[in-house]
Amino acid sequence: MTTQFAPAPTESEERAASRFWPGVSVGVCTATVVGALTATGFLVNAGISAPPLFTIDGTITLVDGSTYSSTPGFECEGDRGYDDISSAAAVRVSDETGTLLAKGSLTGSVREGDFCTFFFTVPDVPRGVSFYDVEISHRGSVSYDEAEADSGVHLTLGR
């Protein structure tokens, strides 16, 4: 039985093999840096192009026409012509041209004697609009400037 050995590598083959792994490492690092810079660029661009947003929080107090509610988180709801003021009521925010900017909902209510006060939140409202028209259900809108809307909206319905 004859044993054969592979020929010894030449000097140029040894140099090529010794440069392979450092070259792969440099390539992987370069690809990682380029990918990270690209992703950062997209994130920065998205942050610049999207308008800043804020949340409008507020209350609406129903001064007559309310009853007790069986909906969790709601002690009371509208009644006798105010049936639309309930946990199902939509809260809409539009700009001065009537374009819908954001939608929210009533989040709860508390009974205060004969009054029923509802709480609402409208998230993701874009800044930079001349006027914000806030409407609950179909009851008509009330206009606020940005500072007023940002500090909280308080409405009254009835009497």
Side-chain angles (χ1 to χ4, degrees):
M1 179 164 184
T2 309
T3 306
Q4 292 187 356
F5 294 99
T10 65
E11 188 176 321
S12 65
E13 290 173 332
E14 285 179 0
R15 270 186 278 149
S18 69
R19 287 191 309 250
F20 177 76
W21 290 113
V24 167
S25 297
V26 169
V28 168
C29 288
T30 301
T32 302
V33 168
V34 168
L37 289 174
T38 301
T40 301
F42 281 119
L43 292 173
V44 167
N45 185 40
I48 291 171
S49 62
L53 304 173
F54 72 107
T55 297
I56 296 177
D57 292 309
T59 62
I60 180 169
T61 299
L62 187 55
V63 296
D64 56 8
S66 69
T67 187
Y68 291 94
S69 175
S70 61
T71 303
F74 288 79
E75 291 180 10
C76 48
E77 60 188 32
D79 190 27
R80 299 182 315 233
Y82 298 103
D83 299 23
D84 58 311
I85 308 298
S86 68
S87 61
V91 181
R92 290 181 280 293
V93 176
S94 303
D95 66 11
E96 64 277 0
T97 67
T99 301
L100 180 65
L101 299 174
K103 293 189 293 187
S105 61
L106 299 178
T107 57
S109 67
V110 294
R111 189 159 192 83
E112 302 170 309
D114 293 336
F115 301 157
C116 181
T117 299
F118 296 85
F119 304 95
F120 64 86
T121 299
V122 183
D124 302 327
V125 179
R127 292 193 180 276
V129 175
S130 296
F131 294 98
Y132 297 87
D133 292 332
V134 178
E135 180 179 27
I136 299 175
S137 186
H138 64 276
R139 296 293 175 160
S141 64
V142 179
S143 296
Y144 299 90
D145 66 24
E146 187 172 311
E148 293 168 330
D150 200 11
S151 66
V153 171
H154 304 287
L155 304 164
T156 303
L157 181 60
R159 282 192 213 159

